Amino acid sequence: MVRLPADPGQGRGAAVLTRRGALQLHVSGVVQGVGFRPFVYRLARRHALGGWVRNEAGEVQIVVEGAPGELEAFAGALVREAPPLARIARIEREPREPEGLTEFVIAESADEPDRRQPVPPDVALCEACAAELADPANRRYRYPFITCTDCGPRFTVIARLPYDRERTTMRVFTQCPVCEAEYRTPGDRRYHSETNSCPACGPSLWLERGDGSVLARGGAALHAAARILDQGGIVAIRGFGGFHLACDATSESAVVRLRLRKGREAKPFAVMVGSLEEATTLAELGEREAGLLAGQERPIVLLRARSPGPLAPSVAPGLDTVGLMLPATPLHLLLAGEVRRPLVMTSGNRSEEPIAIGNEEARARLGGIADAFLLHDREILSRCDDSVLRLAAGGPVFLRRARGYAPLPLRLPVPSPVPLLAVGPHLKNTFTLVHGDTAFVSPHVGDLESRESLEHFRGMLEVYQRLFKVRPEAVVHDRHPGYLSTRLARELGLETVLAVQHHHAHIAAVLAEHGVAGPAIGVAYDGTGYGDDGAVWGAEILLADVRGFRRLAHLRYAPLPGGDLAARRPWRAALGYLALDRSARSAFALAFAPVAPAELALAERQIAAGVNAPLASSMGRLFDAAAAVLGIRHQCGYEGQAAMELEALAGRRIAAELAFGIESGPDGQWVVDPLPVLARLGYLRQQGRDPADLAADFHASVAWLTQRLVRRAAEATGVSTVALGGGVFQNARLLTSVVNRLSGEGFRVLVPRALSPNDGAISYGQAAIGAALLSGGR
């Protein structure tokens, strides 16, 4: 390691003392803008060490000198006691000769303009700030924008790096003398807290009507907003990364009104509660669930709802779960204290649009939804929705990765030789920027089905390129020629453009997050993806690594009459399977009972003529078909509704397994026939069997099928590592059953933990494949 100057600041002693040692440390990761230097300063003083600390080129550089035992204690505490927002990736440590350093100082930063560094995510109010917020004697009592180096907004307010106040949206707020003193004092919790402010110098809060007239300001605005919510009104609230729409979660009329105005027919709403104690009255809450809820990321956590409970039926219709969250911002915490009841807290947008972030934007886009707007003047630069998780198979599983987690980087098992962009899929879009082995995955962008979503994608990409100083020289996209993301990739005009198969990307994402290049047996279960043979894939067993794959097994192809419409009309998926063998029609009677004869006849003609009825191997559509055959769901208000209700119905019931047919296809692949299972479900239901028992049987049958296919694949290939990917594995019952079965047979099972199993991970998988191919080909 290059030797550093002995002392870039002050405090050099006159003589080298006996029995002293010295260490030089380089700390990399998320260590800037998180209070790391003042933490090191306090730690060094605690251990009576001399030396210095400074930011340098995206890292933190430390020199410490003192008693050998204190040096070792310091080095251990550096990791063990790191600030809450820090993410230490690596510490390089080297002994050096002591030079008589007796004082410890924070030295001036040494910045390299082209150096990339991670950006901390926005995180929730810390305990120290929460205590100040509730203390009438504190000057920040009930101040909605209280923050320190351990909490508050980061990613959503940063314009560019390095992270200094003048490069954030806080630059317009000049600190008062008291705040300035805190900011300049190394031992203070707010030393270099770039979002530091107080009621005398910081952002302001107000409540206004839909017509723009101001109802109240400051603390009175919170009181007035609470009264509107108490009376059944809807309030748009400006948070960290955008707006929420809130209403009383115990009022059926308020929730229904919000659904009608927002255009959200049935998709479940998240609910915010003020404390863990309140959460226990609404849902089953174990220690791990409580830890997720109360963590600094403050995600929405999917929990099993208590029944009966106080929540309005329309909060999560047809489901046995509810998404709960604790307040992430001081503003939300204060509002929860005013209302003292559960609040729906859903994204501030109309369905299919990105979340609103600006006051003017919210007035224009949410004016027909909200009765009032709780606004502030701290601008938001980057949209960032709430993260959503659930516990399954022994750990957390993302349903959406955004606030609290993004934009923390992930690693790739094979570094890319050139800067790379992976543009992701069409639905649940994210993109990934790559430099070397570092992958910066965007927060949830959403479905690329509107002009607003496209603008959101481009805007977020511009933010990422600016923050992380990555200008891509190659781009990776999905093989589907009709995806808007594919068009975006081609419009970039880059010389290197790679197309990646959708389900290969699902498996590669799981391999990459676990640092595995492969090979592995990949189980890719989702709705639809463009297959290499031009058909729709979605129930695939692959032998895969990060460079390529071979298809080993899949569901028997069945037509999907209406194409994408089948995802919203589960009976259409059932009709496609029935077309494989008309003799089973009587078993499917419940699937078509509520369907208009003319619509059913049209779908049958589509199948017969092969018009808008693509052939599909899809586990997602199989779940839809099962829901239709059991008479559970014939029409969906949102993607995955039938499957979610099927899982909810199965609950914790003990299940029996029904057998799928498996045969060898002409190309040597195993082909699975689901018709025997669907027909058996239909006959048993008509004989009076409880649909909840049959829903449980269906889950057990899919898990049994997966176990059998993986076992066959392992025998054929000698591979014992299994990667599970695809949106169907958001199903906690299925995921847990598959993991338990395969682990019980000795397989190493890789489960998505860093990203969602769904299409939100596709861009990361694309990036892993693209990097591997560019680094040396197949």
Side-chain angles (χ1 to χ4, degrees):
M1 182 179 291
V2 177
R3 186 174 177 82
L4 297 169
D7 177 15
Q10 56 180 317
R12 178 162 182 162
V16 178
L17 303 179
T18 59
R19 293 186 58 79
R20 288 173 66 85
L23 287 176
Q24 180 173 293
L25 303 104
H26 281 272
V27 187
S28 60
V30 183
V31 289
Q32 292 191 15
V34 295
F36 202 83
R37 287 181 301 158
F39 156 70
V40 173
Y41 174 88
R42 294 191 295 269
L43 191 63
R45 288 174 64 90
R46 190 174 87 197
H47 290 282
L49 302 176
W52 49 267
V53 59
R54 73 180 178 196
N55 288 335
E56 182 177 281
E59 300 179 344
V60 168
Q61 193 176 50
I62 306 168
V63 168
V64 281
E65 183 176 325
E70 297 297 333
L71 289 173
E72 290 304 315
F74 170 88
L78 197 64
V79 175
R80 192 172 56 252
E81 301 176 23
L85 300 189
R87 298 288 189 278
I88 296 176
R90 183 172 58 253
I91 296 181
E92 296 178 3
R93 166 178 164 167
E94 184 173 299
R96 55 183 280 157
E97 289 297 319
E99 299 185 22
L101 306 179
T102 57
E103 298 292 327
F104 195 88
V105 299
I106 297 176
E108 290 295 321
S109 299
D111 184 55
E112 295 179 11
D114 294 330
R115 184 64 180 248
R116 281 153 212 89
Q117 64 187 80
V119 175
D122 296 2
V123 295
L125 192 68
C126 69
E127 290 184 6
C129 283
E132 291 177 349
L133 186 72
D135 181 4
N138 191 279
R139 69 191 189 93
R140 292 187 174 92
Y141 175 58
R142 295 183 63 80
Y143 176 54
F145 309 101
I146 187 172
T147 182
C148 70
T149 53
D150 293 338
C151 66
R154 295 293 191 278
F155 168 61
T156 57
V157 299
I158 295 174
R160 60 183 60 84
L161 296 173
Y163 176 46
D164 294 312
R165 191 179 182 96
E166 64 267 21
R167 298 182 182 91
T168 74
T169 60
M170 290 297 293
R171 66 185 179 275
V172 300
F173 302 102
T174 301
Q175 295 183 89
C176 68
V178 182
C179 286
E180 180 76 15
E182 293 171 334
Y183 184 84
R184 299 296 179 191
T185 304
D188 196 283
R189 195 174 89 251
R190 293 186 170 91
Y191 175 75
H192 276 272
S193 171
E194 309 302 348
T195 54
N196 189 35
S197 66
C198 74
C201 63
S204 57
L205 181 73
W206 70 94
L207 182 75
E208 65 179 47
R209 297 186 181 91
D211 61 8
S213 58
V214 175
L215 290 168
R217 296 185 181 275
L222 282 165
H223 291 300
R227 284 198 302 271
I228 291 172
L229 292 166
D230 285 339
Q231 294 165 6
I234 298 168
V235 178
I237 304 165
R238 198 180 197 190
F240 273 160
F243 277 79
H244 286 113
L245 288 166
C247 73
D248 181 355
T250 66
S251 169
E252 178 70 2
S253 61
V255 176
V256 169
R257 188 181 307 113
L258 177 56
R259 287 200 176 279
L260 291 173
R261 292 183 183 180
K262 184 176 164 73
R264 185 163 172 162
E265 179 185 343
K267 194 172 183 180
F269 283 139
V271 173
M272 186 184 79
V273 292
S275 66
L276 285 174
E277 291 73 22
E278 189 175 354
T280 61
T281 67
L282 303 181
E284 297 178 12
L285 201 64
E287 183 177 343
R288 301 184 73 179
E289 289 88 350
L292 274 180
L293 270 176
Q296 64 181 19
E297 300 86 358
R298 288 295 196 279
I300 298 167
V301 181
L302 202 62
L303 303 167
R304 190 176 294 275
R306 294 197 182 277
S307 182
L311 295 180
S314 290
V315 166
L319 303 180
D320 64 343
T321 55
V322 60
L324 292 186
M325 63 188 297
L326 295 181
T329 77
L331 174 59
H332 287 74
L333 182 60
L334 290 170
L335 184 63
E338 292 281 347
V339 178
R340 298 186 180 278
R341 72 182 69 185
L343 292 175
V344 165
M345 200 63 63
T346 188
S347 300
N349 59 2
R350 292 185 183 275
S351 293
E352 313 303 335
E353 291 183 359
I355 187 173
I357 59 173
N359 290 342
E360 286 300 325
E361 178 189 12
R363 292 180 185 113
R365 290 174 48 200
L366 307 180
I369 303 175
D371 298 306
F373 294 78
L374 192 57
L375 304 177
H376 61 74
D377 52 0
R378 184 179 65 201
E379 295 303 321
I380 299 168
L381 289 178
S382 299
R383 299 175 207 271
C384 200
D385 218 327
D386 298 314
S387 294
V388 186
L389 296 101
R390 74 185 309 181
L391 285 172
V397 174
F398 277 102
L399 307 186
R400 182 170 71 201
R401 179 183 184 263
R403 179 182 52 76
Y405 302 91
L408 293 175
L410 302 177
R411 297 293 173 185
L412 296 177
V414 180
S416 177
V418 298
L420 177 70
L421 167 66
V423 295
H426 182 68
L427 302 178
K428 299 180 178 64
N429 179 270
T430 64
F431 62 80
T432 298
L433 273 178
V434 174
H435 189 276
D437 68 346
T438 304
F440 299 99
V441 184
S442 76
H444 169 78
V445 172
D447 299 347
L448 298 182
E449 294 192 325
S450 68
R451 177 180 56 82
E452 293 83 3
S453 296
L454 181 58
E455 290 174 352
H456 177 24
F457 178 99
R458 288 174 169 152
M460 184 62 71
L461 178 57
E462 181 182 339
V463 168
Y464 260 51
Q465 288 179 327
R466 182 174 68 248
L467 286 179
F468 302 119
K469 301 172 185 175
V470 177
R471 292 291 169 183
E473 298 175 17
V475 62
V476 190
H477 64 83
D478 194 279
R479 284 194 186 279
H480 197 301
Y483 277 4
L484 189 55
S485 56
T486 299
R487 193 186 82 190
L488 286 168
R490 292 170 177 167
E491 288 176 352
L492 292 174
L494 299 179
E495 183 176 343
T496 304
V497 181
L498 303 175
V500 168
Q501 203 279 324
H502 189 89
H503 300 94
H504 183 205
H506 267 308
I507 300 307
V510 183
L511 295 176
E513 75 156 90
H514 289 277
V516 175
I521 299 166
V523 182
Y525 288 168
D526 69 356
T528 59
Y530 189 79
D532 283 353
D533 57 1
V536 175
W537 290 8
E540 317 305 317
I541 307 296
L542 310 175
L543 177 64
D545 59 23
V546 292
R547 288 187 168 86
F549 73 95
R550 177 162 58 92
R551 197 183 193 199
L552 301 178
H554 61 89
L555 281 181
R556 183 181 176 186
Y557 285 134
L560 277 182
D564 291 342
L565 182 61
R568 295 297 182 101
R569 304 289 187 272
W571 65 266
R572 287 178 173 266
L575 184 64
Y577 282 112
L578 180 60
L580 303 177
D581 184 357
R582 296 286 179 178
S583 66
R585 189 173 186 93
S586 61
F588 283 62
L590 285 177
F592 312 127
V595 182
E599 189 177 6
L600 182 60
L602 175 60
E604 289 177 326
R605 289 196 298 272
Q606 287 177 319
I607 293 173
V611 175
N612 195 23
L615 294 177
S617 159
S618 168
M619 186 58 73
R621 298 295 81 80
L622 180 60
F623 268 76
D624 291 344
V629 167
L630 291 175
I632 295 167
R633 173 62 56 183
H634 299 86
Q635 182 169 320
C636 294
Y638 58 92
E639 183 193 11
Q641 182 178 8
M644 290 171 66
E645 292 180 352
L646 197 67
E647 179 187 3
L649 195 62
R652 296 166 171 161
R653 305 231 175 175
I654 297 172
E657 299 161 355
L658 308 176
F660 288 84
I662 304 177
E663 59 186 30
S664 293
D667 52 4
Q669 297 173 4
W670 305 305
V671 179
V672 177
D673 186 1
L675 192 60
V677 169
L678 291 175
R680 185 65 178 158
L681 290 174
Y683 286 131
L684 290 172
R685 178 71 183 94
Q686 292 172 33
Q687 292 169 9
R689 280 282 302 276
D690 188 336
D693 288 337
L694 295 176
D697 291 350
F698 177 73
H699 280 79
S701 303
V702 174
W704 169 86
L705 169 69
T706 307
Q707 179 184 15
R708 188 173 176 189
L709 290 174
V710 167
R711 188 188 302 144
R712 280 195 178 193
E715 292 169 353
T717 64
V719 174
S720 59
T721 297
V722 183
L724 308 178
V728 170
F729 283 117
Q730 294 175 126
N731 183 312
R733 179 173 181 132
L734 179 67
L735 178 63
T736 301
S737 179
V738 168
V739 169
N740 289 343
R741 288 167 181 261
L742 295 178
S743 299
E745 291 198 22
F747 288 102
R748 179 192 181 191
V749 185
L750 306 181
V751 175
R753 299 294 187 193
L755 296 170
S756 173
N758 69 28
D759 281 9
I762 287 290
S763 69
Y764 177 60
Q766 291 172 344
I769 296 166
L773 293 177
L774 291 170
S775 69
R778 296 188 61 168

